[in-house]
């Protein structure tokens, strides 16, 4: 469904549920990270793009002087009521409305106070699928609140407000990538984000001959615990041994020369991070030059590094990458890698637009044959970030 189709259907459902049309409609996309994995907490670069999957929110004023916010989705399976006259505090962990409530709290904290309103949302971003439905919900809420209050936030401030909502209300200590791309994404552009300076650069990808294919392995391996925290600690240890504030300041040479001072594991973790930061910058140059074979090779190299040095892949992610690589350039695949934290979730592939269907069919069949699991596959071009559909 296109954004306009989702929005039109939402308008009708809003009218049916609340007995009047919405006054405001806002949307925000999910995202996929093209390259730059486990670099964010090392002050490195990430390179995400917004996908053509959106969370859309519509709203109309409540009765005059009301301080009550009513929220629901189109199906009526997620509902919540928030009274703005009461101090806000996070609901039980796992409650869906912690995301919008945390964003409302962020506005209140800045002295921006909306009146009561009725809202309804719909989304084509799969929930819990690693495509950041959480950031899409936060940023859609923030964009809606900008409309309702008439106060527009600076994009960086808006993204940080949404990140804080996820930290403080949803209890998820995420980085800045998801909210930044959902706010700042631009059609036909990938966002190069420097997690140290928070500087952003929109890199054009207007060549229509390629698209991204996202494959959800539909597995999520339960971790015995502490894998992420352990990786972070190992990166910090490497930086400490190198005498640097973070691995961002290291180079491959510096890591190599210090090899004997580190355990093998810490050395390999550092090697991944430093090489991945470099690959991410090179990939951005490759996209700028429409040099798809180079970008694809960097994606394969990223995957190998995540699998062998960082040890966050899994057999199912490796299977998709191997199947895609088996198709090769002649089959329409430039590159493929796991995306997201790892141990399951999605891969992202750079694919010849004319061969998307054939590649997708082949991956689906071969993956199911190998693993017995049906994957979920969809394509996307780089989409726009948060937008206003009615004001
Ligand atoms: P991801 O961001 O990868 O999709 P998360 O676990 O971070 O996964 O966020 C998913 C959670 O966000 C859901 O469990 C739900 O609480 C909330 N959420 C996201 N989108 C919606 C939506 N459209 N309607 C209701 N809740 C949503
Ligand atoms: Mg999330």
């Amino acid at each position: 469904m296109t954004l306009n189709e989702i929005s039109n259907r939402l308008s009708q459902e809003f009218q049916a549920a609340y007995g009047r049309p919405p006054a405001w409609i806002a949307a925000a996309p999910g995202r996929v990270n093209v390259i730059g994995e486990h670099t964010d907490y090392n002050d490195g670069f990430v390179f995400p793009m917004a996908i053509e999957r959106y969370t859309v929110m519509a709203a109309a004023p409540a009765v005059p002087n009301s301080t009550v916010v009513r929220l629901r989705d189109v199906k009526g399976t997620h509902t919540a009521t928030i009274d703005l006259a009461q101090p806000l505090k996070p609901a039980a962990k796992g409650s869906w409305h912690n995301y919008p409530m945390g964003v409302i709290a962020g506005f209140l904290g800045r002295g921006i106070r909306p009146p009561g309103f009725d809202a309804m949302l719909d989304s084509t971003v799969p929930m819990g699928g690693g495509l950041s439905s959480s950031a899409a919900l936060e940023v859609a809420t923030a964009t809606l609140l900008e409309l309702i209050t008439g106060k527009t936030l600076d994009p960086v401030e808006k993204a940080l407000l949404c990140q804080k909502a996820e930290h403080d209300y949803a209890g998820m200590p995420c980085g800045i990538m998801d909210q930044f791309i959902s706010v700042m994404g631009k059609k036909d552009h990938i966002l190069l984000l420097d997690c140290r300076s928070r500087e952003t650069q929109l890199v054009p990808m207007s060549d229509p001959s390629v698209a991204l294919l996202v494959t959800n392995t539909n597995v999520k391996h339960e971790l015995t615990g502490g894998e992420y925290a352990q990786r972070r600690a190992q990166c910090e240890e490497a930086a400490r041994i190198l005498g640097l504030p973070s691995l961002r300041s290291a180079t491959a040479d510096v890591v190599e020369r210090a090899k004997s001072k580190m355990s093998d594991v810490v050395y390999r973790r550092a090697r991944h991070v430093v090489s991945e930061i470099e690959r991410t910058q090179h990939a951005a140059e490759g996209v700028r030059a429409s040099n798809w074979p180079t970008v694809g090779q960097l994606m394969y190299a990223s995957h190998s590094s995540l699998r062998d040095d960082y040890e966050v892949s899994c057999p199912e992610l490796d299977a998709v990458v191997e199947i895609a690589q088996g198709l090769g350039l002649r089959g329409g695949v430039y590159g493929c890698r796991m995306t997201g934290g790892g141990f399951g979730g999605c891969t992202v592939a750079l694919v010849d637009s004319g061969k998307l269907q054939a590649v997708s069919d082949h991956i689906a069949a071969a993956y199911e044959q190998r693993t017995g699991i049906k994957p979920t596959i969809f394509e996307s071009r780089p989409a726009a970030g948060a937008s206003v559909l009615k004001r």
Side-chain angles (χ1 to χ4, degrees):
M1 271 212 289
T2 65
L3 181 50
N4 277 321
E5 286 164 353
I6 310 167
S7 172
N8 290 337
R9 188 177 71 177
L10 180 60
S11 269
Q12 286 165 15
E13 297 289 337
F14 189 101
Q15 170 88 44
Y18 291 119
R20 60 198 194 284
W24 310 284
I25 303 179
R31 63 93 187 96
V32 66
N33 190 23
V34 177
I35 194 166
E37 219 64 71
H38 289 280
T39 48
D40 56 346
Y41 51 83
N42 289 294
D43 282 347
F45 286 92
V46 292
F47 197 40
M49 68 171 217
I51 53 175
E52 295 152 331
R53 297 290 187 109
Y54 308 90
T55 294
V56 186
M57 289 181 87
V63 294
N65 301 321
S66 167
T67 55
V68 174
V69 175
R70 290 195 292 173
L71 299 170
R72 52 162 291 179
D73 63 4
V74 263
K75 296 199 194 84
T77 45
H78 295 87
T79 60
T81 303
I82 299 167
D83 187 351
L84 301 176
Q86 306 295 324
L88 299 193
K89 57 175 194 306
K93 201 171 161 84
S95 305
W96 81 277
H97 62 292
N98 273 330
Y99 300 89
M101 186 154 62
V103 173
I104 294 173
F107 275 72
L108 295 178
R110 282 166 176 75
I112 309 174
R113 183 163 275 279
F117 61 90
D118 290 336
M120 184 184 272
L121 67 122
D122 195 5
S123 181
T124 53
V125 188
M127 272 189 255
L131 301 171
S132 210
S133 70
S134 56
L137 178 55
E138 291 147 15
V139 175
T141 305
T143 308
L144 186 73
L145 288 171
E146 288 180 322
L147 288 175
I148 294 174
T149 61
K151 296 261 175 9
T152 304
L153 302 177
D154 163 78
V156 170
E157 185 186 5
K158 182 175 170 183
L160 294 174
L161 183 157
C162 290
Q163 181 205 22
K164 192 168 157 49
E166 186 142 350
H167 287 184
D168 295 354
Y169 276 72
M172 171 60 89
C174 58
I176 59 173
M177 171 168 73
D178 301 356
Q179 291 80 12
F180 267 66
I181 181 62
S182 191
V183 169
M184 294 171 212
K186 189 173 170 196
K187 187 177 176 340
D188 292 335
H189 289 74
I190 307 181
L191 186 75
L192 183 65
L193 168 58
D194 183 337
C195 297
R196 182 167 62 186
S197 66
R198 293 176 180 162
E199 267 167 5
T200 58
Q201 208 180 315
L202 282 161
V203 179
M205 184 186 172
S206 43
D207 178 359
S209 75
V210 286
L212 282 303
L213 194 72
V214 178
T215 301
N216 192 331
T217 59
N218 288 329
V219 298
K220 222 186 241 176
H221 293 290
E222 284 309 319
L223 302 177
T224 44
E227 274 80 359
Y228 293 108
Q230 206 179 48
R231 298 291 181 292
R232 285 185 85 131
Q234 288 159 344
C235 291
E236 281 162 22
E237 186 182 339
R240 200 166 46 241
I241 291 169
L242 297 173
L244 297 170
S246 70
L247 286 176
R248 167 64 182 276
S249 315
T251 61
D253 281 355
V254 165
V255 173
E256 215 50 49
R257 278 200 299 271
K259 187 176 177 183
S260 62
K261 291 190 226 155
M262 299 176 188
S263 70
D264 179 58
V265 164
V266 169
Y267 162 71
R268 286 185 294 116
R269 302 295 189 251
R271 186 165 65 177
H272 165 71
V273 170
V274 169
S275 63
E276 184 78 354
I277 291 172
E278 211 169 285
R279 277 188 293 272
T280 305
Q281 291 168 283
H282 286 159
E285 286 164 26
V287 168
R288 197 179 284 288
S290 298
N291 187 346
W292 309 124
T294 294
V295 177
Q297 285 308 313
L298 291 163
M299 291 170 80
Y300 285 133
S302 166
H303 186 78
S304 302
S305 177
L306 287 158
R307 181 191 59 210
D308 302 335
D309 276 354
Y310 219 65
E311 296 178 284
V312 291
S313 189
C314 65
E316 294 83 1
L317 288 166
D318 293 344
V320 177
V321 173
E322 280 168 37
I323 293 162
Q325 197 154 15
L327 281 169
L329 274 181
R330 234 184 298 160
V333 179
Y334 289 101
C336 185
R337 56 181 288 276
M338 57 160 275
T339 182
F343 306 110
C346 297
T347 64
V348 60
L350 182 66
V351 175
D352 180 338
S353 299
K355 295 188 174 139
L356 277 167
Q357 193 59 52
V359 170
S360 164
D361 290 349
H362 178 78
I363 291 176
Y367 177 75
E368 188 174 356
Q369 195 186 25
R370 254 170 88 159
T371 62
I373 304 161
K374 270 196 197 310
T376 315
I377 307 184
F378 73 92
E379 64 192 69
S380 186
R381 290 273 315 165
S387 63
V388 170
L389 293 143
K390 184 173 185 184
R391 70 181 346 137

